Amino acid sequence: MSNPIIIAGPCAAESREQLFGTAQQIADIFSEKGISLTYFRAGIWKPRSNPDDFSGAGRQALSWLREIERDFHFAPCVEIARPEHAAACAEEGITNFWIGSRTTVNPFLVQEIADAISGLPCTVMVKNPINPDLNLWAGGIERFLKNGNSKVLAIHRGFSQNSESIYRNAPIWQIPIELKLRFPEIPLICDPSHITGDPSLIASVSQIALDFGFDGLMIETHINPAAALSDSKQQITPAMLAEIISSLIFKSQTTSPTEEALRKQRTILYNIDSQIAELLVKRMQIIDNIAVIKKDNNLPFVQPQQWGKVVENYKSKALDDQQYKIFLDKFLELLHQQSIERQSKKQ
Ligand code: PEP
Ligand code: MN
């Protein structure tokens, strides 16, 4: 890929200082490392789950973004979630938008926004809906394509989930890949910040996306993530962003098809290993919790029928080959041994 689309900037515009500070650092470090920024993002109307949470700086931030465009030559983009947001942007001359995942779920609203910007040449990036529904995502995209005058992009930000996972939002890669097959001409961007919710996983998820043929990345970047008023845990500094981007392998950098094929598989493997590593630690922590409950209630720490259920669960998901069965027996023995040792230490 010769020119990946790079979108960076804070989750939310919080103040003029925070926005300028972030933009300045991105500008400095990107020029030093020869990286170019395609869009500078900042949410100014924030869709928050809790009504008491910071909900964005609002309309005043549009003029800060115009100043950033003037001073740094960054193309600003904001989330619009209502036709009125589109109108405010049009008045301030902001023409790059994204549609958030909570908006994409609502076809009425998406249509109203599409109608509101139908006369305006603009860029619209449609995030996937929070639920894993390819047709709903595709339908949202179609509504803007029908406008004819909008440049349309798609952003994959993962899907809400209730199960325990190392990701904030499950990537379910087959959905964006299917979308790419349906709309090969629409650039597909990955938002690893909202998928992972965790800076330590941003690089590996970004690499997977690039390996799957994504056209770019949207990464939340804040001058001081710890002090961010929204999504503080997942934002990274401009310096971290530049480091991640420099570490990524973009398609054009690879040499032979064999190397390319191997690298793809290894990236996926690395991601699986990260998940196994984290889940194993979580499992040990649960074992410790159980040990405390058993101790407090004078219960025996070895409960064979419980372990039988664990074994049954693993076996029901096993590969049907002898080699795997032998491996699984050894692994389960180790796991059980470890669990007994940890629990006995707590007694
Ligand atoms: C965002 O990009 O800040 C945002 C609110 O994203 P999403 O709609 O993916 O939750
Ligand atoms: Mn965010």
Side-chain angles (χ1 to χ4, degrees), residues 10-12 41 46 48 98 127 168 191 193-194 220 230-231 234-235:
C11 175
R41 62 151 284 155
K46 296 300 298 176
R48 306 307 301 280
W98 80 86
K127 285 196 165 198
R168 179 176 177 193
D191 169 351
S193 302
H194 288 90
E220 286 189 340
S230 61
D231 283 349
Q234 74 194 28
Q235 298 202 65

Side-chain angles (χ1 to χ4, degrees), residues 31-312:
S31 79
E32 187 188 312
K33 301 225 176 203
I35 306 168
S36 57
L37 186 75
T38 321
Y39 297 101
F40 181 80
R41 62 151 284 155
I44 68 174
W45 298 286
K46 296 300 298 176
R48 306 307 301 280
S49 304
N50 188 317
D52 297 328
D53 286 345
F54 172 68
S55 59
R59 197 175 167 147
Q60 59 177 335
L62 290 173
S63 60
W64 304 338
L65 285 167
R66 283 306 299 273
E67 287 179 60
I68 282 178
E69 183 173 25
R70 183 197 63 205
D71 293 356
F72 300 100
H73 305 287
F74 288 165
C77 71
V78 299
E79 173 171 354
I80 54 171
R82 323 191 53 79
E84 303 88 273
H85 295 163
C89 288
E91 280 170 30
E92 296 285 342
I94 302 280
T95 56
N96 306 310
F97 314 121
W98 80 86
I99 305 299
S101 56
R102 290 164 197 77
T103 305
T104 312
V105 291
N106 184 340
F108 285 130
L109 201 45
V110 173
Q111 190 57 53
E112 282 179 25
I113 297 169
D115 292 343
I117 60 171
S118 70
L120 189 70
C122 56
T123 302
V124 188
M125 309 175 200
V126 184
K127 285 196 165 198
N128 62 262
I130 49 176
N131 53 323
D133 185 335
L134 172 64
N135 288 332
L136 194 55
W137 191 7
I141 289 171
E142 303 264 11
R143 290 174 201 277
F144 292 103
L145 284 177
K146 278 185 198 291
N147 270 352
N149 53 356
S150 315
K151 181 177 172 211
V152 181
L153 293 86
I155 302 180
H156 171 44
R157 51 78 77 197
F159 303 93
S160 279
Q161 57 193 341
N162 295 319
S163 56
E164 186 82 7
S165 160
I166 61 162
Y167 294 128
R168 179 176 177 193
N169 290 293
I172 320 184
W173 294 104
Q174 61 273 27
I175 294 183
I177 289 165
E178 184 64 30
L179 186 91
K180 186 76 183 161
L181 294 173
R182 275 202 210 177
F183 299 100
E185 74 292 351
I186 289 188
L188 178 59
I189 310 294
C190 176
D191 169 351
S193 302
H194 288 90
I195 290 178
T196 66
D198 177 350
S200 73
L201 297 172
I202 289 179
S204 66
V205 165
S206 299
Q207 188 64 63
I208 290 178
L210 295 173
D211 289 345
F212 278 138
F214 278 58
D215 303 284
L217 302 166
M218 176 191 254
I219 300 182
E220 286 189 340
T221 316
H222 192 288
I223 187 170
N224 181 5
L229 299 180
S230 61
D231 283 349
S232 150
K233 280 201 208 123
Q234 74 194 28
Q235 298 202 65
I236 58 174
T237 60
M240 286 162 79
L241 174 69
E243 201 177 304
I244 288 175
I245 292 175
S246 308
S247 77
L248 295 173
I249 298 168
F250 295 91
K251 250 197 190 138
S252 58
Q253 288 171 251
T254 57
T255 42
S256 72
T258 315
E259 270 178 340
E260 170 77 354
L262 257 181
R263 195 175 53 72
K264 277 188 184 175
Q265 295 301 317
R266 284 184 179 140
T267 307
I268 295 169
L269 200 59
Y270 176 83
N271 199 261
I272 291 174
D273 281 333
S274 305
Q275 296 185 54
I276 294 175
E278 293 212 10
L279 288 174
L280 272 178
V281 169
K282 278 192 185 153
R283 192 179 199 286
M284 297 304 159
Q285 288 162 346
I286 303 282
I287 296 290
D288 291 349
N289 296 343
I290 290 176
V292 172
I293 297 171
K294 285 182 182 168
K295 183 170 181 247
D296 291 350
N297 294 282
N298 283 326
L299 292 168
F301 63 83
V302 182
Q303 294 185 314
Q305 75 285 11
Q306 272 312 115
W307 181 248
K309 284 186 198 161
V310 174
V311 171
E312 203 181 304

Side-chain angles (χ1 to χ4, degrees), residues 318-322 324-325:
L319 284 181
D320 193 20
D321 67 60
Q322 199 49 28
Y324 187 80
K325 283 179 184 152

